[in-house]
Amino acid sequence: MTILLLSLNIFNLFFFRKHWKKLFYLFLFFLPYLGYIQHQIQSATIFAPLIHDIVFLIPIFLFIIFDRKDLNFIPEDLKKLIFLFIVLLIIQLVNPYNDINFLGRLVGLKVWIFYFFMIAVGYHLILNKKDLKKFCNVFSIYAILPCLIGNVIYILFITYGYRETMILFYGDYGMAFRATQSFTQFDYGIFTYYRNPSTFIYSAQYLNFCLLAVMTTITSITLSDTLRESKFYKLLLAFIIISAFFTGNRGSIVYLSIFFIIFSFKHYSIKDIKFVLPKLAFLIIIITLLYKNFSMVEEVTSLGQRYALNTFFENSAENLSNYFFGSGLGNSTSGVRYINKDYLQMINEGLYWKVIVELGVFGLILFMSLFYNYAKQVKIVKIKLINYKEKVFCNCFYAYIIYQFFVGFKSWVYFEGYPANFMFFLILGIILKLGTNQYIENSYD
C-alpha cells in the first residue's frame, strides 16, 4: 500500500505537471472521502494518515516551486511573524530537554509548519472573480454527497441500530469503533445523539468540513448571477447546516451560532440594522428556548464554560511554571501518539495549552499575534473590496478566525484537525489575492 501511495504521488507529479489547478480540484473532490480510505488502509501502511499530503498536496507544493511562483506577496508584518514562529519551531525541534524521539519531533514540526505553504496555493489559485466563484461553487457542490451520506447514516442509526450501521458501513468492527470514538452516544431523553463521522475519520472532522462549506456557500449565494442560482445555494446552505447538526458533535449548535452572530455583525452595516436585528433576535430566542428546554444545549454551554474557564485556568500557575519555556515539538501533538504515545503531555485537549506545552509562553504570544494578524489582513482586504461583492468572503473568514479563537479553549481539533488545518491557510491565501490590484483589474476591467 505504501508503494501504491508513492506511485500515485509520482503519477500526479508527471500527469498534472502543466495543470496543477486540475489536480487541486481533483483533490477537492476526494477531500471528504480520504478519511474513509484512511480507515480502510490503516493496517496496510503507516502513511495512511498522510494520504492527502502524499497523493495531492506535496505534488501541488512542488508545482508551485517548480513554476517559480511569486512567494513575496505576503505582507511584511505577517511575514516577520511567520519567520519568528519558524525560528521558534526550529529551536523547539532541537530542544535538548525534549523526550520525544527525532521522528516524533518531525511529526510535530510538520503539524505546525507544513500547511503555511497553502497560503501560496490559495494566492495563485485565484486570478479573478470567476476563479473565486468557481472555487466556492465547487467546494459547496462537492459537499452535497458526503453530507447526504452522513444524513442517511444518521437515519439508519435510528432505524437499524448505531453499531450495526457503522459496522456495515466500514465492514469491520475495529474501524467502526475508532471512527465513532468507541461508539459514543449521548442520551437526552427525547432522543439520542450519535457521533457520526460520515466519510471522515471522526465526527469533528466532518463538522470542520461543514463549517468550511458554510463559508463557501454563503459566498456562492452572494456571487450568484441569477435568482435561480441564488435559491439553489440558499437551499444548499440550509442542507449543510442541518448536516452539521447530524455530525453528532454536541457543540455544533453553539459553534454555528458563534459563527453566524460574528458574521452578521461584521457583514451588515448600521443601515441594515432593521434587517439584521430581527434575525439575530430570533436566533437568540431559539437558543434561549433550547437552553431552557433542551438538555443538550445546556450541557454544551456548561462544557464550554468549563473548558474556557475551569479547565484552562485549573493549575495554570503550576503548568505555566513547568512549561514556561516549552518542552519541545511533538510533546502535545496528537499525531505523535502513533510513534511515542507514552511520552505525550496532554494537559487537556485545548489548543492553547498544546501551544504552551510545546512552545512555551513566548510561543503562545507569537501564536496569538499570528491570529491577530490574520484578522488584520482580512480587514485590510475588505476595505479594498468595500464596493465589491467579494467582501462577503472576507467577512466569512473573519468570523471563522474569531470562531477559532473561542473554540481553541475547547480543543485543538477545530484548527489542527483535517480539513481545517490546510483549508484555513488556503483561504487566507485567497483573501490576500482578493486585495491585490491585479485581482480587481482582472475581474472588473
Side-chain angles (χ1 to χ4, degrees), residues 82-100 102 105-106 108-109 112-113 324-331 357-360 362-363 366:
I82 292 175
F83 175 77
L84 287 174
F85 193 67
I86 291 173
V87 169
L88 179 62
L89 291 176
I90 294 172
I91 291 172
Q92 293 294 0
L93 176 69
V94 297
N95 186 333
Y97 302 101
N98 191 347
D99 292 327
I100 300 292
F102 192 70
R105 298 184 193 192
L106 288 178
L109 180 65
W112 282 118
I113 202 174
F324 189 85
F325 296 105
S327 58
L329 300 186
N331 273 284
V357 168
E358 294 198 359
L359 307 180
F362 182 64
L366 261 181

Side-chain angles (χ1 to χ4, degrees), residues 269-371:
S269 61
I270 298 296
K271 66 179 181 180
D272 298 319
I273 199 73
K274 292 181 180 179
F275 175 75
V276 179
L277 277 182
K279 295 189 175 184
L280 285 178
F282 178 74
L283 178 61
I284 292 169
I285 290 170
I286 292 296
I287 293 173
T288 303
L289 289 174
L290 287 173
Y291 181 81
K292 295 294 184 181
N293 301 284
F294 201 17
S295 58
M296 185 185 76
V297 176
E298 184 175 357
E299 179 183 336
V300 170
T301 306
S302 299
L303 280 172
Q305 181 181 351
R306 179 163 63 85
Y307 274 98
L309 299 175
N310 301 354
T311 303
F312 184 80
F313 292 105
E314 186 179 14
N315 300 322
S316 58
E318 179 183 350
N319 290 329
L320 285 172
S321 176
N322 291 337
Y323 299 105
F324 189 85
F325 296 105
S327 58
L329 300 186
N331 273 284
S332 196
T333 299
S334 178
V336 177
R337 69 185 185 275
Y338 299 110
I339 304 169
N340 281 81
K341 63 182 179 180
D342 295 333
Y343 289 99
L344 287 185
Q345 303 176 46
M346 304 285 283
I347 293 177
N348 60 55
E349 60 180 285
L351 174 63
Y352 304 125
W353 275 119
K354 186 221 164 169
V355 178
I356 293 171
V357 168
E358 294 198 359
L359 307 180
V361 173
F362 182 64
L364 180 64
I365 294 171
L366 261 181
F367 184 78
M368 298 307 295
S369 297
L370 279 167
F371 254 76

Side-chain angles (χ1 to χ4, degrees), residues 18-50:
K18 299 295 183 180
H19 308 282
W20 71 268
K21 291 185 180 181
K22 290 184 178 180
L23 178 61
F24 173 81
Y25 281 106
L26 181 65
F27 169 56
L28 284 192
F29 174 80
F30 279 103
L31 185 155
Y33 314 107
L34 294 178
Y36 182 84
I37 295 172
Q38 179 181 326
H39 276 301
Q40 298 294 332
I41 68 173
Q42 195 156 352
S43 61
T45 174
I46 61 171
F47 295 110
L50 302 177

